[in-house]
Every structure is written in structure tokens, then in C-alpha cells.
Amino acid sequence: MNRLTHILYTVCLAFATMLVGSCSGDNYAGEPAPDAPVTLGVRLSVVDGTSRAGGAADGIERVEQLRIVILRADGTVEVNRLVDFTYASVEDYKGYFKVKSGEDKTIYAIANPGSTGFDFAAYPEGSSRKDMGEALESWAYTFDAGKPIAMNDSRFIAKELLIADQRTEVQLSLVRVATKFTVEITNSRFDKVTLKSFSVSSLNDKHYLMPHFTGTDGQHIVNNDGLCGFNFDGQTQMHWSDWLALAVDESQQKPDDATLADKRGWIMKYELPSGAEHKQRDFKLPANCVMQPNDELTLPVHYFGESRNGLLDASAFGKGAAAGYEQSYTFTLGLSATEGGEKTFDDVKFPNLRALFRNTHVHVHLTLLQDRVQCEVSVVPYVTVELNPGFGWDNLPNLDEVPDPTVPGKREEGEDDDPTLVIPNS
């Protein structure tokens, strides 16, 4: 199904036109009754499903179950069904539901619902409760990296598209309610290096089930030109998950375009629930963290909640529109080298990581050199952002008394746009 369409509806005449029978009143044979149900077809796709396939830690990115909820205009629960994917793939899912025609609907699709803590059983189909939509929209939970990651999407379907005895199809894009970090380290030094620690600050542990965008103008993105809505190459006012799906696809199709992240923009205007705690998160290290020359080490993949931290009061990005919305995150790296001794780099800012909205995958590659550490950062859905900040590794033996002029020095005040990040000796 073409994702360039905000929401794709296919209306097909039912086979009732072939029926022959007597008529009553003004209804001719074969005409549907005005209160006949409509068949609602639901099709799903997973945002960034291809790039993550086979790379999930302990399978927590796999869709194990899917909850489909359809609410009537008054909030009554019309459908509340659980689909199991133990022996199937969500990529192939297409479900059909008979619902009342001629009235607005809201549909929710939630993958791995058991990880959210929401009590879906409290809202049985046809019950008199009419607050399930409000409950889903306001629900917040603590992220647990030991459980399958929840994914979701929701859509409003206008009554004009729900015609009696016909069929309407809706496409949803499931988005992961989590952020992901992949860290790779290459030892390009002449001596043996041991990784002692790696952590990221400050990441969150609690977020909303459904995204909470701030503002009422529909503009939640900041790109090079300023504040904008979910627009993509002439398409405007898109659904947020459709925009994100296109951004992911584009980043995968243009892996060499290093300008893509800031061109498309970052989703910055969203909020987290009260009580969300941002703090330093230590990464679990492999059993063997000793790297001989030319060795490579990949840390276990780590997942965290959607975050919003380190807001910058001043930012030149987006012609100043990012001020107060652009975020800032740091990492701390502890190393020990045979020749270089112990060294810790504290609170190193990730360059060009401007936000940690859900479904963001931060890919960090560190190259340990004799006189510095080189860091490349890629961010999904903007996979192509690669920066090479070098920073000095002090206390190396046999260094000249006069510093090597080829090693970058500390960034000076006012040089925020310089892509080379240099960490002063600590």
C-alpha cells in the first residue's frame, strides 16, 4: 500500500447487488438497509521494520501480540480484540471488522500491549463505558527493556467513509514506543585497550503510550528553515506516523546524504508525563572488554524510554526556532590502555542529536586512535548523519613536550556550528 497517501480507503460494493428478493416499502431488492454494518479492513506496517529485522536484542522488537480497538463516536467500545503473532508476521496482517455504519470512528492499534500495563480487559466490547479513548491517550507507563517493545498508531475515520454494506480499508503505521542505542568500538591503536565503562545521560524511564504533541498549530518539527508541520514533498498536514515512515524510508534510500536529518527536521515539540525521571544510564558491558589492536567490540543493544532533556535556551538551528525545544545528551566513556593508562571522558555531548522522540535509533561508532578518539554518530530515521569529532587522549607515554598541532584543540566560544567536537583534558 502506498504510504504517500495519508490514509488509504478502498470502498467496494458488496455482493448484495447480486441478490434477488421482494422489496418492502421504498427499498428495492438488493439495496442495503440504512443501518447495515460496514466492513472495516485494517492493514498494518511497521515503521523501520526492515532495518531492524534480525538485529533485535533477545527479540524484544518482535510483534508478539496486537490489540485492535475501535471506538464509536460517543466513545463506546465497538471492537477490542487481541491477535496473536506467535506463528505469523505482522507484516502480513490484514483484519476485517464489522462495525456500525454512518458514524465517526477512532481506531487504535497497539502491538505488544502487555508491556504497557494498560487494563484492556476493563473495556469489553459493547460495555457502557465510554472513556477508553481518553484513558488510552492519557496512559503513561515505565519503560521495561526486558519486555517486548510496545508499538502503536491511531486514526480518526469520518462517518462519510463508513457506508452501509460496503467496505473501507485503513492503513496504520506502527511506531516503537522506545529509543535504541547501538555502540560499536574499534581499537586502531598500537596497544591493547580495555573498555571500563560507557553510559548516556540523561535518559528517561517513563513516557506516554500515545505521543503527546505540544501546541495547537500542528507544527511540531524544526528543520533548517524553522518550525513546520508533518509535511513531506508537497504533502501537508500528514499523520505523524506516516511522516515518520517516509522519513525512515528516505534515510535508507539516501545513505550518503549527510544533510537529510536537518533538512527534514526533528520532532521536538512533545511532552512527557509528570514524574518522568531523566538520569545517567549505565550500559551493560560484554564479558570480555579487552581489545587488541584492530579489534572491534559491539556493546549489547540498549533500549530506553522516549526522552526530552537538556533543553537549550539558545539554539541557532532552524533559524532560532529550536530555542527552548532542541535537546542535548551526553555520554561518558572509561578506558584503560597499556601505554595510555586510565582515562575517562565525562559528559561528552552527542553532536547533532537534537531530540529523542520515540522510534529513534542512535548508532555510535567510536574509533580509538593513538592520539585521539574518533566518534561517528548516525541517527535513525536519519541514518546518514555522520560526524567525526576528534578529542585528545592525554597522558600517553613518549609524547613530545610541545602538543601535536594536528590534534584538534578545544572548541572556542561561538563555534557551535563547527562539526569537530574536542574534549578538553580532564
Side-chain angles (χ1 to χ4, degrees):
M1 182 166 293
N2 189 353
R3 285 179 171 169
L4 298 181
T5 306
H6 166 62
I7 191 168
L8 177 60
Y9 296 99
T10 304
V11 180
C12 303
L13 290 176
F15 294 119
T17 56
M18 301 298 295
L19 299 177
V20 178
S22 60
C23 58
S24 174
D26 294 330
N27 287 334
Y28 293 97
E31 284 189 357
D35 60 347
V38 60
T39 300
L40 181 60
V42 180
R43 300 183 66 177
L44 297 173
S45 63
V46 178
V47 172
D48 196 20
T50 303
S51 71
R52 294 184 180 231
D58 300 325
I60 72 170
E61 292 187 20
R62 171 179 166 79
V63 177
E64 295 186 352
Q65 292 182 323
L66 176 70
R67 177 74 63 170
I68 298 291
V69 174
I70 301 176
L71 305 180
R72 299 178 61 181
D74 64 357
T76 301
V77 180
E78 195 164 11
V79 173
N80 184 359
R81 310 278 177 82
L82 186 65
V83 184
D84 189 270
F85 287 96
T86 302
Y87 303 105
S89 169
V90 71
E91 304 292 344
D92 304 323
Y93 177 77
K94 187 174 183 180
Y96 291 94
F97 304 89
K98 289 285 188 180
V99 296
K100 184 175 176 57
S101 60
E103 62 179 27
D104 297 338
K105 310 285 182 184
T106 302
I107 180 170
Y108 293 88
I110 302 167
N112 300 324
S115 300
T116 69
F118 188 87
D119 185 7
F120 290 93
Y123 301 86
E125 295 180 358
S127 69
S128 59
R129 296 195 65 171
K130 299 180 179 181
D131 60 341
M132 188 176 188
E134 180 181 347
L136 285 171
E137 294 289 345
S138 62
W139 184 253
Y141 66 99
T142 299
F143 178 77
D144 185 346
K147 297 180 179 180
I149 296 173
M151 314 175 198
N152 58 39
D153 197 5
S154 66
R155 304 295 169 111
F156 171 81
I157 308 173
K159 60 184 179 182
E160 291 79 11
L161 297 166
L162 298 172
I163 303 172
D165 219 17
Q166 295 187 5
R167 187 175 76 195
T168 294
E169 292 190 1
V170 57
Q171 171 83 39
L172 294 94
S173 300
L174 293 176
V175 176
R176 291 174 177 83
V177 193
T179 60
K180 176 180 179 179
F181 280 77
T182 299
V183 180
E184 299 173 342
I185 303 173
T186 299
N187 181 21
S188 294
R189 292 170 55 83
F190 301 131
D191 55 338
K192 181 174 65 177
V193 176
T194 301
L195 175 64
K196 308 292 286 188
S197 62
F198 185 86
S199 61
V200 175
S201 294
S202 288
L203 300 176
N204 176 42
D205 66 340
K206 186 178 181 181
H207 50 205
Y208 287 111
L209 173 60
M210 307 305 298
H212 278 224
F213 298 108
T214 56
T216 58
D217 54 5
Q219 295 181 308
H220 313 295
I221 297 173
V222 179
N223 62 19
N224 283 327
D225 298 324
L227 191 63
C228 65
F230 294 112
N231 309 328
F232 202 103
D233 291 350
Q235 299 177 83
T236 59
Q237 298 181 333
M238 297 181 65
H239 190 275
W240 69 272
S241 66
D242 290 335
W243 180 92
L244 191 60
L246 289 180
V248 169
D249 288 346
E250 182 182 48
S251 66
Q252 293 171 351
Q253 294 166 8
K254 302 178 181 180
D256 298 323
D257 187 353
T259 68
L260 204 55
D262 289 350
K263 174 186 175 183
R264 285 298 173 197
W266 301 74
I267 300 176
M268 292 187 183
K269 296 183 68 175
Y270 59 94
E271 64 181 8
L272 299 177
S274 60
E277 181 183 9
H278 290 79
K279 67 179 183 180
Q280 176 174 301
R281 308 289 175 175
D282 296 327
F283 280 50
K284 181 180 179 180
L285 303 182
N288 182 14
C289 290
V290 178
M291 292 177 287
Q292 302 293 337
N294 300 317
D295 276 357
E296 295 183 355
L297 174 67
T298 299
L299 303 189
V301 173
H302 282 65
Y303 300 86
F304 305 97
E306 179 178 83
S307 300
R308 186 171 183 266
N309 192 62
L311 300 181
L312 303 179
D313 293 333
S315 172
F317 180 60
K319 300 178 180 178
Y325 297 104
E326 181 176 356
Q327 302 163 36
S328 177
Y329 298 91
T330 65
F331 68 88
T332 295
L333 175 68
L335 301 164
S336 175
T338 302
E339 296 184 6
E342 301 278 341
K343 177 61 182 176
T344 300
F345 298 99
D346 291 305
D347 295 325
V348 181
K349 181 180 177 181
F350 283 110
N352 207 34
L353 176 56
R354 304 186 190 277
L356 270 180
F357 186 71
R358 60 189 60 193
N359 204 73
T360 300
H361 180 186
V362 182
H363 190 157
V364 181
H365 189 98
L366 300 173
T367 302
L368 311 182
L369 302 174
Q370 206 66 26
D371 58 356
R372 66 190 187 279
V373 175
Q374 176 176 290
C375 176
E376 296 179 355
V377 179
S378 300
V379 182
V380 174
Y382 312 109
V383 255
T384 62
V385 181
E386 293 187 356
L387 301 173
N388 298 297
F391 48 89
W393 191 327
D394 64 318
N395 300 323
L396 290 173
N398 303 321
L399 284 179
D400 295 334
E401 292 293 331
V402 179
D404 186 344
T406 64
V407 178
K410 181 179 179 181
R411 184 189 298 188
E412 298 297 327
E413 188 74 22
E415 294 182 338
D416 291 340
D417 295 330
D418 185 351
T420 299
L421 177 66
V422 179
I423 309 306
N425 295 336
S426 59

